[in-house]
Amino acid sequence: MTTLEQTIRPAARSSEWKAIVVLILLIPVLWSPPFLVRFFLYQPFNIPSGSMTPTLVVGDYVFAAKYAYGYGRYSFPFAPSWISGRILAAAPEYGDIVVFRTPKDISVDYVKRVVGLPGDRVQMRGGQLFLNDRAVTRVALKEVFAGAACGGDDEAKAKRWRETLPSGASYVTYDCVDNGFLDNTSVYTVPPGHFFVLGDNRDNSTDSRMMSAFGFVPMDNLVGKVTRIFWSLDENGDPHMERLGKVQ
């Protein structure tokens, strides 16, 4: 045995034993119910912007069901980049509120509503959503003071619409500006393996209408389906209890 071998081998054994001890100590944590729930079932997220107002607002904390669409590269933290595809894969449905990463920026989790599935033709005309050349049903509701959701002016009002997709999914959208920048678009044909998303706050949402900055979202980039608001704080940091519950 050379001198070099004598100096290296004890250190290697020491490192191996340290790794084994660390793994043994981590076993209770890795198999603890809170860890398993967060890792495989539900992951919490907070809402930092008003792009999904009025459904989700700044200060909301939501659970995303990770099992809803199966598991892929973005389902788990620190997953290696070479992972592709999904295990137990399932496609989102019209109206689902989903958490995902975009091909343009895989470092950020986004939350939007699915309005287009593979093969669909999606277009905005005069602020109204068209799906496969048919106007999506919408009913006008009473205008409200929107504040920050429409740019921060306390006197700003938003038109509200109850929009109902062909699947029956129904929800309320905000319309802050007539003939806004994204109120009239070309026709987007959703490619295979992708979906099309919009924010419910239609004039203040970066979403699939902006092809150069956002675009279609690959199914493989799904993280989970938003199912419930479990906590909410208003602009003063006080609990917003009336917002707790399931989301539409």
Side-chain angles (χ1 to χ4, degrees):
M1 181 179 293
T2 66
T3 303
L4 182 62
E5 287 173 333
Q6 288 174 332
T7 57
I8 289 178
R9 288 193 175 183
R13 291 195 189 98
S14 177
S15 298
E16 290 170 1
W17 275 108
K18 287 180 181 179
I20 292 172
V21 169
V22 169
L23 286 174
I24 292 173
L25 293 174
L26 281 176
I27 286 174
V29 176
L30 295 176
W31 289 99
S32 64
F35 182 86
L36 290 175
V37 167
R38 188 185 189 285
F39 204 74
F40 292 105
L41 300 179
Y42 294 96
Q43 183 170 343
F45 294 91
N46 75 294
I47 305 302
S49 77
S51 68
M52 281 297 292
T53 304
T55 308
L56 300 174
V57 302
V58 176
D60 284 348
Y61 291 78
V62 301
F63 280 130
K66 302 178 76 169
Y67 58 85
Y69 310 120
Y71 302 92
R73 173 184 172 187
Y74 301 107
S75 300
F76 309 108
F78 312 116
S81 59
W82 49 264
I83 290 179
S84 61
R86 302 187 72 79
I87 300 172
L88 305 175
E93 298 179 357
Y94 292 117
D96 283 2
I97 299 175
V98 294
V99 178
F100 57 92
R101 308 278 179 89
T102 72
K104 311 291 185 181
D105 186 358
I106 61 172
S107 66
V108 177
D109 293 304
Y110 291 89
V111 57
K112 306 287 179 184
R113 190 181 296 275
V114 176
V115 299
L117 297 176
D120 284 339
R121 297 182 305 281
V122 184
Q123 185 180 24
M124 299 294 297
R125 302 182 197 169
Q128 184 169 11
L129 174 63
F130 279 70
L131 187 60
N132 297 319
D133 304 317
R134 293 186 177 183
V136 170
T137 301
R138 65 176 186 171
V139 177
L141 303 176
K142 184 179 179 180
E143 291 186 3
V144 296
F145 288 103
C150 283
D153 183 355
D154 291 339
E155 299 301 316
K157 284 189 174 182
K159 293 179 180 178
R160 295 188 305 150
W161 300 91
R162 176 159 289 280
E163 192 170 85
T164 303
L165 293 171
S167 63
S170 184
Y171 46 88
V172 177
T173 66
Y174 268 15
D175 182 6
C176 294
V177 181
D178 291 333
N179 296 314
F181 176 66
L182 295 172
D183 279 353
N184 294 281
T185 71
S186 57
V187 177
Y188 308 102
T189 301
V190 185
H194 292 70
F195 55 93
F196 191 98
V197 295
L198 293 175
D200 289 350
N201 188 358
R202 294 290 162 79
D203 290 312
N204 288 287
S205 174
T206 301
D207 48 43
S208 291
R209 294 172 292 179
M210 303 180 71
M211 281 290 149
S212 60
F214 206 96
F216 303 111
V217 182
M219 297 287 185
D220 285 352
N221 287 35
L222 282 164
V223 175
K225 176 183 177 180
V226 174
T227 58
R228 178 176 294 273
I229 300 171
F230 69 88
W231 187 243
S232 183
L233 298 174
D234 64 20
E235 56 191 17
N236 298 316
D238 296 323
H240 213 177
M241 304 303 291
E242 63 271 23
R243 291 197 53 78
L244 307 190
K246 292 183 179 180
V247 297
Q248 294 183 337

